[in-house]
Amino acid sequence: MQVAVRLRQSEKLGRVTVPPTVALLRYAYDAEAKRARQERVGTVPFWTDELPDDLKAQLTPEERADWQTFVNDRNHQQERALWRFCLNNSVRMLAYASKALQAGEKPASPTLARKAVKLFTQSMDDAGFGEGKAGPGRPRKDAEMDADYLLLRTPEEFEQWERLKDDGEIKDLPNFIPPEAQKPEAPKKKGFPEYPEGDLIARALRLAFVGGEGEGDDSA
């Protein structure tokens, strides 16, 4: 059985998105034509995990295994997209968390927060991104960083920050607007396609941090 996924161009988002639904297709022998023809078994939402009972009853064990392969591939891509998003934004997340603490907010679990920071640091070391030992002498510049510094984005912003810091003129920073990230289209591969990163991340964030699907899952 084939799970037909047709990625589409969303006018609302201005990029390729996943479809609202996928079609379950199988080849069946047409005795009159004396050849196999493709037929549609059913249509289900792209993000569903479980097939409706009436549709599942029409499938063979092999076809149900094909569906599970699709679900596993989709969920794996979504999970990895969430990991990449959190890693790529880890500095900003930690900086915003620091600003919240400075503003008097309290963490839900201070103990777990400290353990999470320790785990992240250990994971960085294990992945080969260890900081190494700091030598004697003047403190490293990163020891002087604050949350606003970590929220800078471009080399020009970092250069401006360092210049103002040296002149003692650091004040409230403007709101920096990040440039739009243009992601090249993923090359086609055999089997299921690489799904759009934006759709994967949006749903993964809702599930991981909000605890539900939310609105607008299929309105892109």
Side-chain angles (χ1 to χ4, degrees):
M1 183 186 70
Q2 177 189 2
V3 180
V5 181
R6 292 183 174 86
L7 302 181
R8 61 196 182 118
Q9 181 71 31
S10 169
E11 295 183 1
K12 179 180 177 181
L13 298 177
R15 62 173 175 81
V16 174
T17 67
V18 298
T21 60
V22 295
L24 308 186
L25 308 175
R26 69 152 68 106
Y27 281 94
Y29 183 72
D30 186 332
E32 184 176 342
K34 296 183 179 180
R35 64 186 180 88
R37 292 184 181 275
Q38 192 177 64
E39 65 177 18
R40 183 189 297 264
V41 184
T43 302
V44 295
F46 177 87
W47 292 113
T48 193
D49 290 325
E50 292 293 333
L51 295 174
D53 291 339
D54 58 339
L55 180 56
K56 188 185 296 184
Q58 302 177 47
L59 303 181
T60 66
E62 292 78 12
E63 289 173 333
R64 288 195 290 270
D66 291 338
W67 168 255
Q68 191 59 51
T69 298
F70 161 77
V71 170
N72 293 344
D73 177 84
R74 183 203 65 197
N75 290 348
H76 176 71
Q77 289 193 40
Q78 177 182 266
E79 183 180 50
R80 294 299 294 265
L82 177 62
W83 295 352
R84 288 191 296 271
F85 175 85
C86 290
L87 178 60
N88 292 337
N89 291 276
S90 57
V91 172
R92 301 184 66 77
M93 289 180 178
L94 292 171
Y96 280 127
S98 296
K99 290 182 75 71
L101 291 170
Q102 293 164 9
E105 301 290 343
K106 296 182 180 179
S109 175
T111 300
L112 283 179
R114 285 185 172 276
K115 288 183 178 180
V117 173
K118 183 178 180 180
L119 173 61
F120 181 71
T121 302
Q122 183 61 52
S123 298
M124 289 283 288
D125 291 342
D126 293 344
F129 302 106
E131 183 179 26
K133 294 183 178 180
R138 190 173 186 272
R140 295 161 55 102
K141 275 197 172 183
D142 57 2
E144 303 169 2
M145 291 179 186
D146 58 15
D148 286 324
Y149 182 89
L150 296 177
L151 291 172
L152 300 176
R153 289 180 180 270
T154 67
E156 291 76 17
E157 291 168 6
F158 283 108
E159 182 180 352
Q160 180 187 29
W161 175 274
E162 294 295 344
R163 185 173 62 253
L164 293 176
K165 187 176 182 66
D166 291 340
D167 295 340
E169 298 179 5
I170 290 297
K171 298 179 181 179
D172 292 337
L173 295 176
N175 291 324
F176 295 109
I177 301 176
E180 292 185 0
Q182 298 294 330
K183 191 176 182 65
E185 185 177 353
K188 293 182 179 180
K189 66 173 186 177
K190 185 177 180 180
F192 299 111
E194 292 285 351
Y195 303 122
E197 189 89 347
D199 292 344
L200 297 174
I201 291 172
R203 183 172 186 262
L205 287 174
R206 285 195 294 271
L207 295 178
F209 295 102
V210 180
E213 295 287 1
E215 297 180 356
D217 285 324
D218 57 0
S219 61

